[in-house]
Every structure is written in structure tokens, then in C-alpha cells.
Amino acid sequence: MAAARRGDRLETLKAEAASAGTPIETCVCDVTDVNQVESMAAATRAAFGRIQILVFVTGTNTTERALPRLKPAIWDDMIATNLNGAYYCAQAVLPEMREAKFGHMIFVSSTSALAADGSGAAYQSSKRALNGLSHAIRLEEKENGIRTTVVCPGMVDSELLDRRPVQPTPEQRAMALLPEHVAEAILSCAMMPPRAVIPELHILGSAF
Amino acid sequence: MAAARRGDRLETLKAEAASAGTPIETCVCDVTDVNQVESMAAATRAAFGRIQILVFVTGTNTTERALPRLKPAIWDDMIATNLNGAYYCAQAVLPEMREAKFGHMIFVSSTSALAADGSGAAYQSSKRALNGLSHAIRLEEKENGIRTTVVCPGMVDSELLDRRPVQPTPEQRAMALLPEHVAEAILSCAMMPPRAVIPELHILGSAF
Amino acid sequence: MAAARRGDRLETLKAEAASAGTPIETCVCDVTDVNQVESMAAATRAAFGRIQILVFVTGTNTTERALPRLKPAIWDDMIATNLNGAYYCAQAVLPEMREAKFGHMIFVSSTSALAADGSGAAYQSSKRALNGLSHAIRLEEKENGIRTTVVCPGMVDSELLDRRPVQPTPEQRAMALLPEHVAEAILSCAMMPPRAVIPELHILGSAF
Amino acid sequence: MAAARRGDRLETLKAEAASAGTPIETCVCDVTDVNQVESMAAATRAAFGRIQILVFVTGTNTTERALPRLKPAIWDDMIATNLNGAYYCAQAVLPEMREAKFGHMIFVSSTSALAADGSGAAYQSSKRALNGLSHAIRLEEKENGIRTTVVCPGMVDSELLDRRPVQPTPEQRAMALLPEHVAEAILSCAMMPPRAVIPELHILGSAF
């Protein structure tokens, strides 16, 4: 089940997946809305049964990230999407994972969670919190067979870069991570046998 | 200027301070409300002129911290108080600090920001974010003469302990930090000459 | 090329590898001796050509790890093996990696590098230093196409456990990582395309 | 008791301290030599009785810090001075601190212990290890009333800067920490009442 806010993107993804021979289901969902998150979880269960893996890759940034431009309303939106949404998703799947004594939550955070940088106060605060959420869930739920992983990528050549007030140069973009590198890392973590867990993994473009 | 939600506590504090020969002003303020934060800043300016030091010691935890009991509404409240409130306070004083090319923000976080522990997912996520906020502001505003410090205390013998689902033993309480130890550390940081800054300081009861 | 101090173990490994259809070369080497390290590198080059990947898994601990028992001579040995040996290996392969504009060094450290624990002062100091070494090399040599990874495993069910003053219970051992989990993680890092690097990865038994 | 390698510097310091009305004793000591460290401890005991506070500020760097210039012999020296020396000093005073159920060790490390930087592989490895040593001792000896603190300063305007391959500009030097800022921080930590400990403190020139 792939979920996102934008239905048109999901339709494209679904068509691509189908023509690649790996059909998927999709679900429109804004993670800042608890009810939509609950509905997404219900739709997933209806389609596939128990949810075993949650991959939270939602994350946004704002062109207004510099402190003189950041305003409380923008801050609130950033925290709601990047942080609260992650908790809503986790709490929606925790009961069934606990019951099954099996589950894996993978949160995609950022190297901005590891050291102060120019990504803006709201972004890096939310990403540090996301790391904390992942580790807190693991500590509390490991006795229930639940594993968590937080993946911290550096700059990825994605449309999120378009929101940077100062655009990376084409040379920098050409050295940035590709989304498939992050996907590869997520897959490696998800493929670990149940006895092992990768609680944290950092990944960068090798020139950075 | 001392600000807090509970007016009666502030009255007591004001009386104590006056009788100790160090009179203070007080202001009722709920930091989760941007307007109240702006009013507090305005009242401080009216009473004392430019704000030079902000000490953010607001922080709460919930008895419902364990994941099976934590609910989205409680999560939202925790994040609003411990994290969003800190940003609201910072943004309320940043313009005058920038203009004066001088200012110091001191955020009281927690050792829960440093490593996963039993303080609950909402608490430790908010505290990690608070560390991120402090460092992000410093990185961005140091060129404007603004310093930030994040103080991370371990267990403090305060009424916050009453909200722990498992109460610390009297022996543990007797070894916990006292609020005055944290105050002492804050003072040391605030007294550093402008050329130096203590960006981060950890403090524990020495038995922990 | 597999290198280690104990020739008999290497012979066994070589025979196992051969019968598994993946023949290897071996080399007896004590990493605390620069000359032996240089010879190992030379033997590897003679057998296989340019060295492209270095995996440093050497690491020891002492039964005398508690501070009242640890003595300067034991400390010196631990630092020589766990830390200095890693540097000697790295410097032995750096010139050819620089020249080839390609190379990957993977250092196996420990979760003891991440937070204070009961592994002893010498062990955890050496492991923190090893993380520093890995990141320092990456920062300095990334412009030469050299990548580094530091893998930090928790308790592994290996003979190193026999040196613990307090033995883990059979139940704990049964939940510890297996060496193949760490090998799997190393392989994932080594298989990343050259454009991406995993600078740091933590891996634990999922019950810990 | 002030100890250092260079006797002439110690004489000057002793004279300055005497004329400032705070007479001190001095002792020539190379911390890389266990015997000299033991003698220094014995001389201190003879002059002042039980040692209660150890402040380890020894630390060196090399002009040959870049990896193409760093050689095993230089590496070994750096580790011996910055890391092994710290352990030798600690083990020399641990028994009497344990017996007295009271003691405080303060290690001056560096921000290079916190994130990879241009200080060279040997320097930052040794400083990360020093942080590990401080925390390991604290964890193990806190039950004996022993506290440890690791102070991590950024660039200090001291003669150590002369060893940088790339000299900081006069403007950068003018914004660097002064040795007295670090001394002030050490003093704050040492003055904490025995019930509290500052395990780690970072300090920077506020422009950095």
C-alpha cells in the first residue's frame, strides 16, 4: 500500500508499478489528519491483512525556512507533517504489531537530525524529534517483537530541493543521493532477519 | 520577568523574590498560545526595555506516556508545550536581539534528548527537537550576536516526578538533582562573556 | 584476502571457503605491528592487484576491563589492537585508493562507541576513537573517491563474550546478534553504488 | 599542583601565581610515561594530601595532521599524549578517590570529539576516545563518589594554533575562545556541589 497526499501522483505510481509487474494499492492520505491515517491503516488491512511494515517517508520543508521568514503557522505545519504525522502512523499500526508480536517501522529522517545545518529550525527540529520517536518506540516495544529503524539521508536529488532558498548547483545535484539509494538502504534494513535490527543508518552522497 | 501558566504560583514567587530583596515582575502566559507569548514579550519590554536573555524552562510530561496509553490528543499537547512553545518564545524575541546584535536564549531540555529512555515517546521526541531548535538558532543567528544554550538535566526532584507512572524511590529522589543545581548551571552559562558560548551542557545527579 | 593473528584459524577458514566454492587467500598478521600490516597489504596486492575494500573487524577486549583491574600495560595493548591497528591498516591502503580514485574502508566498531556502558574504559575509548578515525578519513579523502563506513554492532554471540567478567545468560546469548548479521550489514554497505556511502550504521539484536 | 613537560614554563607560571597571591607547586611530567605520572601523583600527595580534583588539559596536535603526511610514529605519539596520558593520570588518582568516596576528574577534550572536522585523524580520534574515557570512568565509579566532566572547547587562541597547517586569520583568532573562558567553564564544573555533576559541556567562541 502506497499512501500520499496527491492522488494523481499515486495513480501514476500505480500504473508504473503495474506495468513493472509489481502491482500495488494506493490510498490518498494527509498524515496530519489522524482520521485519514486511521482510514489508511484500515484500507491496508482490508486489502492485505495485518500490517507488518510501516515505512514513513513523509517529510516536507519550506522555502520560508530562514528564521526571519519562518512564522508560527509555517512552523506548526512543518511539525504537524514531519513529526506528528509520523506518530499518528505509528500509533495506528502499533496495536496489531503488538498483537502479532511482529512489526517493523522504518522512518526516513535526515542528516539534519544529527548536526545543526542550514535546513531551517523547523525542519531540523522535526527530524531530531523523528529520530527520538523511532528510538523511543523501539525501546518500549522491542519486548513485543517490534523493531524500528531510522534512516538519515543527506541531500537527495528530489523535488524537495526545489524548495531550497539557495538552489544547489547542477554539480552538487549530480553528486547527491538518488531516491533509489535511499530505497536500497530501506530494503536492506527491512530484509534483516527478525533477530537483528538496524536502529539507525546514515547515508550520504559520497562526495558530501 | 517570570512567566508561567499558573497565576497563583507566580504570586507566591513574586512575594518570595520581593522579600529576598530581588523584586521581579510576573506575567501569566500559556506558551502554546502565540498571542499570549507575544503579549508576554511586550509586557517585558514595557517593564524592562529590550529583552536580552530568554530562559525557556517550560516542559511537561504526562502520566499517559507509555505508548499503549498515549493518544494523539496527548501527543499534540506535549509537542505544543515542550516544542512549539519554545519556538514561539524564540521568535518573539529574535527581532529585538537581532537589532541589538546581542541576545542569549537558554533552553532547558533533558538527558532524554540524548539517548532513548523511559520518559515516553512524546517527551523525548520533543526534547530532541528542542536541542535541534537551540542549535539551529545559534547556527543561523550567531552572526547577529545571538547565543543559544541547551541545558540537558537528568532527573530533577520537582513536581514533574509526580507524573511518572512508576514513582522514583525516596532514595532515588534524595540523589536527584535539585532545581537550584540546574539554576546554577543556567547562571554559569548566562555569565559567560559575550565572546564565548556554551552551546550544550549536560547535568546529572552524581549518582546517576 | 583474510588476515588474522592465528594461522590455524585462517587455515580452517581457508578450507571452509574452498569447500564452499569461494576460495580465499589468507595472511597471518598482527595489526599492532606496522611492518606486518605493510606485508599483508603487499601480499594482497601481489595476489589480487589494487586493494579496493578494507574491512577492519579486529577488536579485542580484556577480562581485566574493570578499572580496579585494568593496568597501563593492558590499556596500551587494547589501544594498540583496537585503534592503532585500524590506523595502520588504513594508511597502508590509502595511497593506492587515492591513486585509483576509488576505495572503501569498513570499520567494525561497537555500540560501546555510542554511549557509556559496561564494556570497560579501554574498550569503549578505543571504539569511540575508531568511529572518529572512520569519519575523519571520509571527510579528508572523499574528494579522492574514498568512502568509509563504521558499523556499530551490539552484543554478538562470538568468543569475545567469553572474556566478559560477567557472562551473559544463555537466554541473552540466544538473542544476541550472530556474526552473519554483521556480515550481512557489511555487505549491504559494500554493495552501495559508488555515488552513495553509508558512513555509519548501528545494528543490534532486536531484543536489546 | 601544576604539572607539564616544560620546566621553564612551569617556573614562569609559579612566579606569576606567587605574585598574584595564589602560590602553587609545580612538577615536571611527561604524561606519556607512567612512572612520571605516578611520581607526579606522589609529589602532589606529599605536598597537599589526598588528590581530590584532576584536571587533564594535556593535548597536542601535529603540523603533519593531513593523512598523506601523518605517519605511524606521529600517530602513536598523538595517541600516547592525548589519550593514554589521560588514562595514566586517571588510574594514578583513582585508588585514593575511591577510598575517600570523593573525587572529580575534569578532562579537556575538543569539539573535534563531537563531529568530524579538519583537525586530523589522530587528533579527533584521540579526542573522541577521551570523551569515552571520561564517561566510562563516571559510569563505573559514580557509586564511589567519583565524578567526571569532559569539557569540549572549540578553537582556542593558544599556541596550539601555530601548529595548524592552515593558519586561522587574525579575524578568526580575535573571535576564538580565550584560555580563560575554558578555565571559567572548568571552574563552574568543579564548583558544582557533590550531589550534581556536569558530565559534558561544550564551549565555543560565539562567532563559531
Side-chain angles (χ1 to χ4, degrees), chain D residues 148-163:
Chain D
T148 73
T149 296
V150 61
V151 173
C152 303
M155 186 167 82
V156 177
D157 186 8
S158 75
E159 61 184 36
L160 207 57
L161 292 187
D162 301 334
R163 300 211 191 148

Side-chain angles (χ1 to χ4, degrees), chain B residues 102-154:
Chain B
F102 184 83
H104 195 171
M105 301 187 192
I106 300 175
F107 300 95
V108 178
S109 177
S110 166
T111 51
S112 302
L114 307 174
D117 65 15
S119 63
Y123 186 79
Q124 63 201 276
S125 296
S126 69
K127 291 302 190 180
R128 289 219 191 198
L130 188 56
N131 283 33
L133 176 64
S134 181
H135 292 308
I137 295 174
R138 199 176 62 74
L139 193 72
E140 203 173 325
E141 300 288 346
K142 65 190 178 192
E143 64 182 20
N144 297 318
I146 297 173
R147 295 178 290 165
T148 73
T149 297
V150 61
V151 173
C152 302

